[in-house]
């Protein structure tokens, strides 16, 4: 049985938090909102609860969990030998969507770290997440609260769809703020290595760090990483059930981009396939001819507001599946700022790139 606990995001109900904390303390699993996406939490020291997270999500056991802390003292309970550079980032970006990979404290069960000697840790900037950790009074291990391979949940309803009946409780505090997950950086190499672009831009992080961060190809969403650096990377992610084709910007002008979508969509429409287009405010009017031919047109947001596009993305990928299209075409964006994060998610979600 899964219970749904509703509360206000900014003024969390203390009774609801107490209930959720009790479930966690007894070894249960609770989905809760963070500023990025909903997480599926368990007490970090509870190996059985961690095992249940992997089972509930159907997550491969070598894909480690992120540890969520409420205050800076908790950092020393999960990590050791923390490099000075990490504190530079922590001072500015915590609480917030930045996850740091650091040496693991021996007390952290290996099941949580997927067998690694490192931990991924962050301090979330969401009143419900922070108050919940405080109430439990131990760090909370929490991956995103979706079935493995599905888009991350930005609303409680997404968690219900994926995990109802598989977990003990879901705290529903409405839609999350960023709608994409935290930025993950490995601080144990020099230069620091971006493992996953996220809600904080790499440009902002480099400015605070005062140096460049290495952006490997896999962080752009290409290929498969053999390395055990960020084990999650090798698995398929964020995928809708619908076959998704990503049309990348490359050197195309916006008109060329839209024309590529139109000509590709026409091929599918002429074959009688139910076709869906995911465009942006700037191009959406160019697709009216496709709409007349029966295509479904969806709008992600404006290219001048990548925050909005990132925020809508996972919900849009989930909505796509309810439209039962045979094929969907989505526009890429430029890889600057949040564009890097959006392109990482789109490349992973798509089965073909043009
Ligand atoms: O915003 C977020 O980060 C959300 C919310 C709930 O906090 N969490 C999230 O967790 O996205 P998850 O499990 O979906 O993604 C965690 C990622 C995985 O790709 C995993 O491989 C990586 O973090 N990770 C965890 N521990 C790691 C470690 N020790 N070294 C390298 N990568 C690690
Ligand atoms: Mg995830």
């Amino acid at each position: 049985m899964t219970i749904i606990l509703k509360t206000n995001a900014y003024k969390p109900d203390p009774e609801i938090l107490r209930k959720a904390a009790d479930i966690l303390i007894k070894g249960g699993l609770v989905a809760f909102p963070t500023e990025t996406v909903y997480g599926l939490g368990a007490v970090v020291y509870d190996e059985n609860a961690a095992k249940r997270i992997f089972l509930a999500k159907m997550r491969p056991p070598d894909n480690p969990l992120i540890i969520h802390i409420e205050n800076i003292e908790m950092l020393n309970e999960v990590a050791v030998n923390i490099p000075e550079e990490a504190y530079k980032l922590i001072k500015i970006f915590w609480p917030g969507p930045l996850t740091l990979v650091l040496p693991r404290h021996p007390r952290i069960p290996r099941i949580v770290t997927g067998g690694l000697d490192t931990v991924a840790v962050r301090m979330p900037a969401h009143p419900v997440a922070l108050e919940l950790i405080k109430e439990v009074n131990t760090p909370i291990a929490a991956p995103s609260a979706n079935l493995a391979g599905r888009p991350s949940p930005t609303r409680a309803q997404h968690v219900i769809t994926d995990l109802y009946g598989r977990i003990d409780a879901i705290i529903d505090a409405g839609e999350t703020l960023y709608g994409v997950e935290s930025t993950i950086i490995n601080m144990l190499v020099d230069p620091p290595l971006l493992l996953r672009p996220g809600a904080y831009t790499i440009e902002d992080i480099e400015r605070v760090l005062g140096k460049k961060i290495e952006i490997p190809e896999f962080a752009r969403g290409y290929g498969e990483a053999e390395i055990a650096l960020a084990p999650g990377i090798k698995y398929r992610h964020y995928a809708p059930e619908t076959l998704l084709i990503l049309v990348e910007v490359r050197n195309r002008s916006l008109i060329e981009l839209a024309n590529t979508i139109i000509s590709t969509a026409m091929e599918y429409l002429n074959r009688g396939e139910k076709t869906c287009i995911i465009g942006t405010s700037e191009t959406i009017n160019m697709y009216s001819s496709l709409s007349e031919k029966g295509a479904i047109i969806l709008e992600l947001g404006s290219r001048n507001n990548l925050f909005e596009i990132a925020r809508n993305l996972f919900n849009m990928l989930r909505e796509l599946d309810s439209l039962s299209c045979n094929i969907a075409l989505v526009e890429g964006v430029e890889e600057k700022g949040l564009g890097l994060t959006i392109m990482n998610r789109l490349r992973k979600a798509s089965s073909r790139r043009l």
Side-chain angles (χ1 to χ4, degrees):
M1 236 258 305
T2 305
I3 60 168
I4 313 287
L5 304 165
K6 266 190 194 284
T7 183
N8 182 284
Y10 302 98
K11 277 188 83 183
D13 179 342
E15 254 178 65
I16 294 285
L17 290 170
R18 190 62 247 164
K19 250 190 213 164
D22 282 341
I23 294 171
L24 287 168
I25 290 163
K26 290 192 183 117
L29 304 186
V30 176
F32 61 95
T34 78
E35 78 282 27
T36 57
V37 301
Y38 275 75
L40 177 60
V43 167
V44 76
Y45 303 117
D46 187 335
E47 293 195 37
N48 275 320
K51 252 179 230 161
R52 288 186 59 213
I53 288 187
F54 287 91
L55 283 175
K57 280 186 55 103
M58 301 202 275
R59 182 178 178 108
D62 65 348
N63 189 1
L65 312 179
I66 292 179
I67 303 174
H68 296 67
I69 59 173
E70 190 260 332
N71 59 61
I72 206 71
E73 286 74 50
M74 277 188 183
L75 178 59
N76 296 314
E77 296 170 28
V78 305
V80 293
N81 301 329
I82 300 163
E84 247 344 279
E85 269 187 341
Y87 286 107
K88 255 192 182 173
L89 297 180
I90 287 169
K91 240 189 247 161
I92 303 292
F93 293 115
W94 281 5
L98 173 69
T99 297
L100 300 177
V101 171
L102 299 168
R104 163 183 156 273
H105 190 292
R107 217 185 131 195
I108 301 298
R110 277 186 193 274
I111 180 166
V112 169
T113 68
L116 298 178
D117 272 328
T118 52
V119 287
V121 52
R122 82 179 193 98
M123 191 188 289
H126 192 296
V128 172
L130 288 172
E131 291 296 316
L132 180 64
I133 303 167
K134 197 174 183 176
E135 194 69 33
V136 175
N137 201 24
T138 67
I140 298 289
S144 52
N146 52 281
L147 283 174
R150 301 272 298 140
S152 295
T154 57
R155 303 172 183 199
Q157 184 55 52
H158 301 159
V159 185
I160 293 172
T161 303
D162 279 17
L163 298 176
Y164 193 87
R166 306 175 69 87
I167 63 178
D168 301 294
I170 300 169
I171 305 180
D172 177 356
E175 212 177 320
T176 60
L177 176 64
Y178 291 100
V180 285
E181 307 89 336
S182 61
T183 305
I184 308 181
I185 297 181
N186 181 357
M187 296 306 293
L188 302 177
V189 288
D190 193 25
L193 183 67
L194 177 68
L195 297 179
R196 178 179 73 185
Y200 276 146
T201 69
I202 212 65
E203 291 89 340
D204 282 346
I205 296 169
E206 284 177 340
R207 205 169 302 129
V208 168
L209 203 57
K211 68 183 202 188
K212 286 278 174 198
I213 289 166
E214 191 182 332
I215 306 177
E217 277 297 281
F218 67 74
R220 298 187 188 278
Y222 290 120
E224 313 218 320
E226 324 279 302
I227 24 176
L229 278 176
I233 287 154
K234 66 176 174 282
Y235 298 107
R236 183 138 198 253
H237 271 88
Y238 315 119
E241 316 267 322
T242 314
L243 209 67
L244 185 67
I245 301 178
L246 168 63
V247 181
E248 302 229 10
V249 176
R250 304 190 200 280
N251 292 322
R252 295 174 173 121
S253 68
L254 218 47
I255 291 178
E256 287 167 338
L257 183 76
N259 281 335
T260 307
I261 299 237
I262 292 167
S263 58
T264 313
M266 282 308 292
E267 286 173 32
Y268 285 103
L269 286 166
N270 288 338
R271 274 187 247 151
E273 309 264 23
K274 191 170 173 193
T275 306
C276 187
I277 312 295
I278 306 177
T280 49
S281 325
E282 287 75 11
T283 52
I284 209 83
N285 288 330
M286 297 178 64
Y287 301 133
S288 48
S289 60
L290 293 176
S291 164
E292 282 157 24
K293 293 225 152 42
I296 296 173
I297 316 294
L298 302 171
E299 187 181 328
L300 259 182
S302 166
R303 290 172 174 277
N304 294 322
N305 187 354
L306 293 180
F307 180 84
E308 184 191 18
I309 292 184
R311 185 176 182 167
N312 288 336
L313 189 62
F314 287 144
N315 186 54
M316 190 70 93
L317 291 178
R318 281 175 180 265
E319 235 172 53
L320 187 61
D321 286 338
S322 66
L323 300 173
S324 57
C325 288
N326 304 99
I327 194 89
L329 289 147
V330 62
E331 288 176 13
V333 296
E334 280 187 53
E335 263 181 340
K336 278 192 220 113
L338 274 178
L340 179 68
T341 306
I342 293 165
M343 288 308 288
N344 167 291
R345 304 303 187 270
L346 284 177
R347 287 186 183 123
K348 285 170 174 284
S350 56
S351 20
R352 242 179 93 196
R353 299 191 290 265
L354 295 180

